[in-house]
Every structure is written in structure tokens, then in C-alpha cells.
């Protein structure tokens, strides 16, 4: 089936949507949704090619998970995960090359870079705060 048909079926109700009264656009927590917005463009369930970026387990770098369209019907083999821990500039450069070089959803490249940058920035701040809080004040 096409991605449009899948979207028509799940757009109003699915397990990942969080609807609130005050919010105009509902949130979505599905894997592969880079902006956590319930829209066709960012949906990770309906497209044969998706990109997902999550922080690494050890809080150093991030993990890029992509879906292979040829293995779409085999969930165990359809995802490729790559961990990038080479430092912020090099990791973002490698991510850009990985997504643009393989013609992999060009509309999501900038969004993926922003999310990866935000993850790296949050890890950097936590390291600085932890370092400052451990030192004793000597007078």
C-alpha cells in the first residue's frame, strides 16, 4: 500500500498521538518522527524511508537509525543503526554526508541535523554542569 493510504488510516487515531485541548497540532511519539509532530511529512510509520536520531546509551554522541525500503516487510532486518561519537563537528559532517550521499529523504536532512545538534548540545551542557558541581569551594 502507499504511504498516503497508510496516513489516511492512522492520521486521526493511533497509539503514538498525544492530543491536548490547548495545542493546535497534536504531538506524536512514534519512532522515526524527528519533530514529534503528527504530520505526514515527519511520520515514521508510513514512509518506506525514515530517519531517527536518538542519544547514545553512554551519553556520548548519537545513534542514527534508518529504515531500508527493500526490507520493509521484515521488521527485524529493516533498520540500520549507526552510532556517531567522533565529536560534534565531525559527527554532524558525517551525518550530512550519510543522508545526502545516499539520496535518503532530502527533505529531512536539515531537520535531522538540528535534532542531532540539539542532542550534542544537551550532552555538552550536562558534562559542564557535572564538572562544576563536584568541585568544593575553598576559602
Amino acid at each position: 500500500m502507499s504511504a498516503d493510504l497508510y496516513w489516511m488510516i492512522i492520521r486521526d487515531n493511533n497509539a503514538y498521538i498525544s492530543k491536548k485541548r490547548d495545542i493546535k497540532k497534536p504531538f506524536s511519539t512514534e519512532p522515526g518522527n524527528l519533530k514529534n509532530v503528527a504530520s505526514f511529512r515527519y511520520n515514521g510509520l508510513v514512509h518506506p524511508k525514515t530517519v531517527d536520531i536518538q542519544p547514545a546509551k553512554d551519553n556520548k554522541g548519537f545513534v542514527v537509525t534508518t529504515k531500508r525500503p527493500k526490507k520493509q516487510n521484515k521488521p527485524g532486518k529493516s533498520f540500520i543503526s549507526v552510532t556517531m561519537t567522533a565529536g560534534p563537528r565531525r559527527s554532524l559532517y558525517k551525518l550530512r554526508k550519510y543522508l545526502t550521499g545516499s539520496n535518503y529523504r532530502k527533505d529531512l536532512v536539515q531537520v535531522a541535523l538540528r535534532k542531532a545538534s540539539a542532542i550534542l548540545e544537551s550532552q555538552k551542557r550536562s558534562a559542564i554542569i557535572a564538572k562544576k558541581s563536584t568541585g568544593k569551594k575553598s576559602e
Side-chain angles (χ1 to χ4, degrees):
M1 285 196 283
S2 70
D4 295 320
L5 183 58
Y6 279 133
W7 176 244
M8 295 299 288
I9 293 169
I10 69 165
R11 72 177 176 181
D12 293 327
N13 296 312
N14 66 49
Y16 298 107
I17 290 181
S18 173
K19 295 180 181 179
K20 306 267 179 166
R21 290 183 196 180
D22 303 339
I23 300 171
K24 294 179 183 177
K25 202 113 167 130
F27 288 109
S28 182
T29 59
E30 74 228 3
N33 192 330
L34 290 173
K35 281 197 153 187
N36 293 335
V37 176
S39 69
F40 176 72
R41 179 179 178 186
Y42 300 114
N43 195 291
L45 299 174
V46 300
H47 292 290
K49 293 182 177 182
T50 59
V51 178
D52 190 24
I53 298 178
Q54 298 295 326
K57 297 285 183 190
D58 58 352
N59 246 0
K60 294 180 181 178
F62 54 91
V63 178
V64 180
T65 307
T66 55
K67 190 192 299 187
R68 295 190 293 182
K70 290 185 178 180
K71 303 278 185 175
Q72 186 175 0
N73 296 329
K74 298 178 181 177
K77 298 179 181 179
S78 65
F79 294 102
I80 300 173
S81 294
V82 178
T83 305
M84 299 198 181
T85 59
R89 284 190 181 196
R90 180 127 173 94
S91 295
L92 292 175
Y93 176 77
K94 286 168 59 175
L95 177 62
R96 179 188 294 272
K97 287 294 184 183
Y98 180 70
L99 295 177
T100 57
S102 60
N103 295 329
Y104 206 88
R105 294 285 307 266
K106 291 181 181 180
D107 60 328
L108 295 181
V109 172
Q110 194 65 30
V111 178
L113 287 170
R114 284 185 181 166
K115 185 166 183 179
S117 178
I119 289 170
L120 291 172
E121 189 69 23
S122 70
Q123 292 169 352
K124 178 179 161 185
R125 286 189 183 141
S126 65
I128 292 171
I129 291 170
K131 187 176 180 181
K132 285 184 180 179
S133 65
T134 57
K136 293 183 179 178
K137 200 173 192 181
S138 61
E139 292 183 30

